[in-house]
Amino acid sequence: MPMLEDPSVKYDAFPPIHLPNRQWPSKVLKKAPRWLSTDLRDGNQSLPDPMTFEEKKAYFHKLVDIGYKEIEVAFPSASQVDFDFTRYAVENAPEDVTIQVLSQCREELIRRTVESLKGAHSATVHLYLATSDCFRNVVFGLSQEESKQVAVKMTKLVRELTKNDPSQSATNWHYEFSPETFSDTNPDYVLEVCEAVKAAWEPSVENPIIFNLPATVEMSTPNVYADQIEYFATHISEREKVCISLHPHNDRGCAVAASELGQLAGADRIEGCLFGNGERTGNVDLVTLGLNLYSQGISPKIDFLDLNSIIDIVERCNKIRVPERAPYGGSLVVCAFSGSHQDAIKKGFNNYSNQLAESGNKNVKWKLPYLPIDPTDIGRTYEAIIRINSQSGKGGSAWVILKNMGLDLPRPLQVDYSKAVQAQAEEKGLELTNAELCVLFEKTYYVGSETPYAYELVDYSVTSAKAGVRSISVDLRIEGQAKTIAGAGNGPISAFSNAVEKDLGISIDVKHYHEHSLGEDSNSKAATYIGAVLKDGLTVWGVGIHEDVSQASFLSLISILNNLHYKK
Ligand SMILES: CC(=O)SCCNC(=O)CCNC(=O)[C@H](O)C(C)(C)COP(=O)(O)OP(=O)(O)OC[C@H]1O[C@@H](n2cnc3c(N)ncnc32)[C@H](O)[C@@H]1OP(=O)(O)O
Ligand SMILES: CC(C)C(=O)C(=O)O
């Protein structure tokens, strides 16, 4: 069967809500919301292989360590593991962490759920019930009034078993109610149910009731969801006794946008999972939301510095890989292969470090091409940022050589080296590793090998017999044979070139000379780069590294001789 030519015979467009005075489009996010991690509940229930007790434990402690203060740990009435894990969380949670658990609106399940929370410092009982026409009619066969009555009755039961029970007074009890699926429910009916639930729970300003407004299935554009949230937030009574929570799923790929617009529209709290695990396409990704805030200068109050260790836990316990392109965390998102990106990033880093140096290392605004946040803020190192394949340019390979060998190649040498890199990348057809690039550099410029190359520098002496003239005598080994050459010039390099031309018959016209020190202490070495023009107009490069700067430049000339020897 082909796809439908006219899908409207099967699918209706989602009806927008009438909200001509909407305020959210002019608002700006200014602070982090309350976060609720539902990794161990919604995330876990959607896994092919749910987490083991040990995996839940490791995940839970990671969530606590990085700063989540509200964690939905289980559906305790679902299984013994869930019940036992809730007990573990209750007994091991720090006092400032609230343990949340979920239950259907069924008495026996609620009793078991509350039992699992006995002795918690702070706990949230979370009930959900179908309110949308589709869910009520198809799944439950309940009328609107019947659904509302169930919600009220079960809320009263939770109240009786928790905050009204004197034997439970050691716990700070909270209550969350989710009309499912909020985003597909008539907004006035949602309000009617939530008003009735609120009256049954009787929240206070200090301990508000949480109304979680899930996009159980994401069905509309995020602006429509934001309108729905603003409508709820501006029509619910005693707003100060209500915490509005969002629970967006990602069926249309817009959960992050829906959460952000929903916060502009009045939401106080967001429920989601690290890297967007959860039913079908997942819950909203808490990492993206947190780091989106961070990139706008707002602390998410969650510590993502060691993002790699978070990824390790997520991948190990979910048994699902974090995709390479996942915002912030994906292995490919803080790196660039393409030449123009690498060039811009390299220049950006230079500019940034200059600004840091000028300002004494403080308060420099991050403005780097292609990198929305500083990778080091999430524990990423430079190695990951620039990676080399056949799409790369000179800037990228020069960056790798700088970061791995400390060699700051002059621009024309970058061009020269990138030709060798390009040839190697095309031949290999795959990415070149940093180690491969360093070896290629050494081979291209005949430096750093254990086995001797054709030309070796054995010794030299420079004398200055009359003003402005330097004489040089150089002991070489050429393919194992000792040879001494001599020449003169107005400096040591020109004297060396003169000796090479006179005694070896090789004309080297030095056109480029660059040097810098390697390292900062007094034992540091010098790196010199010499570009010489041959008779046919071609430029050949040599690289020399030595403690003594003169010897480093002679080694550069030897590097040129080797270059000519092997490439002729
Ligand atoms: C949107 C969400 O993510 S909601 C959370 C979903 N998570 C889970 O379901 C994971 C844990 N669930 C479970 O382990 C099981 O479903 C249990 C233990 C809760 C219940 O198991 P069972 O009693 O066998 O019921 P089952 O799994 O078939 O659930 C369907 C029944 O629950 C009812 N139900 C579903 N949601 C609710 C609700 N919120 N309140 C009351 N009843 C509900 C359905 O109407 C159906 O009842 P029926 O059998 O009378 O038609
Ligand atoms: C229980 C509710 C909040 C839920 O998971 C959903 O609607 O997706």
Side-chain angles (χ1 to χ4, degrees), residues 24-33 35 256-267 270 289 292-294 296-299:
W24 62 262
S26 321
K27 301 216 166 130
V28 174
L29 290 180
K30 295 212 169 104
K31 63 178 173 70
W35 303 111
V256 166
S259 308
E260 293 180 335
L261 301 192
Q263 287 172 78
L264 297 179
I270 301 285
L289 285 177
N292 279 358
L293 284 175
Y294 186 82
Q296 303 301 300
I298 301 166
S299 168

Side-chain angles (χ1 to χ4, degrees), residues 38 41-42 45 72 75 100 102-103 126-129 135 176-182 212-217 246-249 271 279-280 283:
T38 186
R41 195 281 295 173
D42 209 339
Q45 80 185 32
E72 191 163 56
F75 195 125
Q100 176 165 317
L102 180 66
S103 171
H126 177 193
L127 296 193
Y128 69 102
L129 188 69
F135 277 50
E176 170 169 337
F177 178 77
S178 294
E180 186 198 10
T181 169
F182 161 81
N212 184 41
L213 308 179
T216 306
V217 177
L246 307 185
H247 182 106
H249 279 271
E271 304 194 357
E279 295 283 2
R280 306 176 306 284
N283 287 83

Side-chain angles (χ1 to χ4, degrees), residues 59-114:
Y59 209 122
F60 175 74
H61 287 295
K62 191 68 179 175
L63 290 168
V64 169
D65 288 351
I66 63 180
Y68 287 101
K69 301 292 178 205
E70 296 181 64
I71 303 177
E72 191 163 56
V73 297
F75 195 125
S77 60
S79 70
Q80 192 61 43
V81 172
D82 271 30
F83 186 92
D84 292 345
F85 185 73
T86 308
R87 293 305 311 151
Y88 175 86
V90 162
E91 282 155 20
N92 291 281
E95 286 196 20
D96 64 345
V97 169
T98 298
I99 299 300
Q100 176 165 317
V101 288
L102 180 66
S103 171
Q104 292 181 350
C105 283
R106 287 161 63 184
E107 181 165 349
E108 73 283 10
L109 303 187
I110 292 173
R111 288 186 182 279
R112 176 93 172 136
T113 303
V114 174

Side-chain angles (χ1 to χ4, degrees), residues 227-242:
D227 280 354
Q228 293 170 324
I229 303 302
E230 184 165 311
Y231 189 83
F232 184 93
T234 51
H235 286 77
I236 188 82
S237 65
E238 300 181 293
R239 176 68 181 85
E240 68 289 356
K241 295 183 185 171
V242 171

Side-chain angles (χ1 to χ4, degrees), residues 126 155 175-179 190-191 193-199 201 203 208-214 232 236-237 241-247 268-269 271:
H126 177 193
T155 301
Y175 180 58
E176 170 169 337
F177 178 77
S178 294
V190 167
L191 281 163
V193 173
C194 289
E195 290 291 359
V197 166
K198 180 157 66 68
W201 180 256
I209 188 167
I210 302 167
F211 284 124
N212 184 41
L213 308 179
F232 184 93
I236 188 82
S237 65
K241 295 183 185 171
V242 171
C243 168
I244 296 179
S245 189
L246 307 185
H247 182 106
D268 310 296
R269 183 176 182 264
E271 304 194 357

